[in-house]
Amino acid sequence: MGDRSERGSAKHKRRTTIAGDAAGAQAKRGGAGETLSGQVKEKEQRHETPANKHKSHSDAGDDAFSCHKLQESLLSSNSGYSNYRGILNWCVVMLVLSNARLVLENLIKYGILVDPIQIISLFLKDPYSWPALCLIIVSNVFIMAALYIERKLSVGTISECTGTFLHCINLAALLFVPAATVLSVSSMTPVGGVMALGVFTVLFLKLYSYRDVNKWCRESRRAKARTLSRSHSCPSVHKANGTAGYTHVSYPGNLTHRDIYYFIFVPTLCYELNFPRSPRIRKRFLLRRLLEMLFLMQLMIGLIQQWMVPTIQNSMKPFQDMDLSRIVERLLKLAVPNHFIWLIFFYWYFHSSMNFVAELMQFGDREFYRDWWNSETIPYFWSNWNIPVHKWCLRHFYKPMLVKGVNKFTAQLAVFFMSAFFHEYLVSVPLKMFRLWAFLGMMAQIPLAYFVGRFLRGNYGNAAVWMSLIIGQPIAVLMYFHDYYVLHYGNAAEGVAA
């Protein structure tokens, strides 16, 4: 009996142990899976045939020693590579070296031609006669005329038709009075004439915008008055502060001397009642722009005297002899300094000077240019290199023509025609001769724009835009200088030759 009980208890223990082992094995099955799979792989490797072993080793060897893959060359357009910083640095180095050679050659051939006294003579013939400055001072008469016409219109003293007629007379006088003065005053130098006419041209565009915006305000006020008369209610007037702490101005509260003269001096051609204002004047920024202006002005004048003037003077004989190969050679030789000076002028005027004035006047909108250097079409260049003029043309000339039913192509032609007129106005009148080279050069942009937009794309279009800038301007410079030289010094040259 005792043996049976012991055997029974042993069997019970054995069953319990087996059950416990089975539960533990089931819990550890997941962890032991990797070990089992590894053992299976080892068994498979032990039972591998020599052929399978040779195949696996050959595949691993191919992957380990492979050095080729499917790919394009870096300079191919399909490669997607775009980091050409080293090539750009190389271009800059080559440009510096080539121009250093030209500078050295110029100094050896002509010596130092920079003359400060000659610079003063470009602006003044007589030190006691300042006709350009006097003409600029007289421009205040036209500013006051525009202001008082608008004041009369705001209170209803004169009708819209009378106001429009007076504005037209004032704007026409802005163009014809300075032109007649420059042509009639003998002491006016070409450089002084360009400066005076440039000021009056900017003033013409500003006062045209001033007249338009105030007219729009009167029309809006009349429309609101009709609405209020129908509803027999009057809204409360609220004067809000601007972002920089300036009082919000509404029409006709803007018709003040302070307002119009602020508009005259800020670097924009489009009038607004409330301009965006910067919170403060940054003195370091202002000083940097001032130093840039002074340095770049001296650099431009020095390059014109040392580099451009001798090249232009040496171009007269090929023009007189009509030697085509020599004319082309002179044109290409003039293209480099002319384009270099034009780039310096762009930075001096549109970045340094305009930012200096804007910072001084706390004018907030500093978009004076966009990325015109990436232009792939001619219209993109003309709409991005001079943003103040582009905004004015779009706001006061192009869109009003579209509203009146003029189609887009005709409106674009009209914009180019107006631009061509002002280019010729600013060149022919100070030189006191009318040859239309600037006008024809601007109008030639129309077929060129069609050709580039139709047949050239991407980098080719960008190269065409750069070529038109580099080659087009020296052609106009040579043509004007040749005609000016023949007109003023032709008889003296013939007498010396005789």
Side-chain angles (χ1 to χ4, degrees), residues 139-175:
S139 65
N140 289 279
V141 175
F142 303 98
I143 298 172
M144 289 296 99
L147 174 62
Y148 284 104
I149 291 171
E150 286 299 327
R151 282 185 174 180
K152 296 295 182 182
L153 285 168
S154 66
V155 296
T157 306
I158 59 176
S159 64
E160 282 292 337
C161 292
T162 305
T164 301
F165 177 73
L166 293 176
H167 272 302
C168 289
I169 292 176
N170 190 44
L171 292 173
L174 268 171
L175 295 181

Side-chain angles (χ1 to χ4, degrees), residues 309-381:
V309 172
T311 304
I312 295 173
Q313 290 174 344
N314 294 335
S315 303
M316 292 302 101
K317 192 174 187 307
F319 268 96
Q320 293 172 354
D321 299 339
M322 294 307 294
D323 187 350
L324 184 60
S325 60
R326 293 286 295 169
I327 290 174
V328 174
E329 186 269 336
R330 287 288 131 182
L331 175 65
L332 295 177
K333 189 173 183 179
L334 180 64
V336 175
N338 177 83
H339 186 65
F340 189 50
I341 291 169
W342 181 80
L343 291 175
I344 296 174
F345 171 79
F346 167 79
Y347 187 90
W348 172 81
Y349 185 76
F350 287 97
H351 185 76
S352 300
S353 300
M354 284 193 169
N355 270 292
F356 176 81
V357 176
E359 190 68 26
L360 200 61
M361 304 296 294
Q362 293 182 258
F363 180 69
D365 187 0
R366 308 294 175 89
E367 190 186 37
F368 306 124
Y369 55 89
R370 298 191 188 116
D371 60 335
W372 57 265
W373 46 86
N374 294 325
S375 301
E376 297 179 1
T377 60
I378 300 297
Y380 186 89
F381 167 79

Side-chain angles (χ1 to χ4, degrees), residues 1-16:
M1 293 292 293
D3 294 338
R4 288 179 182 176
S5 62
E6 288 178 2
R7 288 175 186 173
S9 61
K11 287 181 181 180
H12 178 71
K13 288 180 182 179
R14 196 179 300 122
R15 287 171 187 170
T16 305

Side-chain angles (χ1 to χ4, degrees), residues 120-121 123-131 133 187 189:
I120 298 174
S121 67
F123 296 89
L124 297 172
K125 283 185 179 179
D126 183 0
Y128 299 101
S129 177
W130 299 55
L133 181 61
S187 59
T189 63

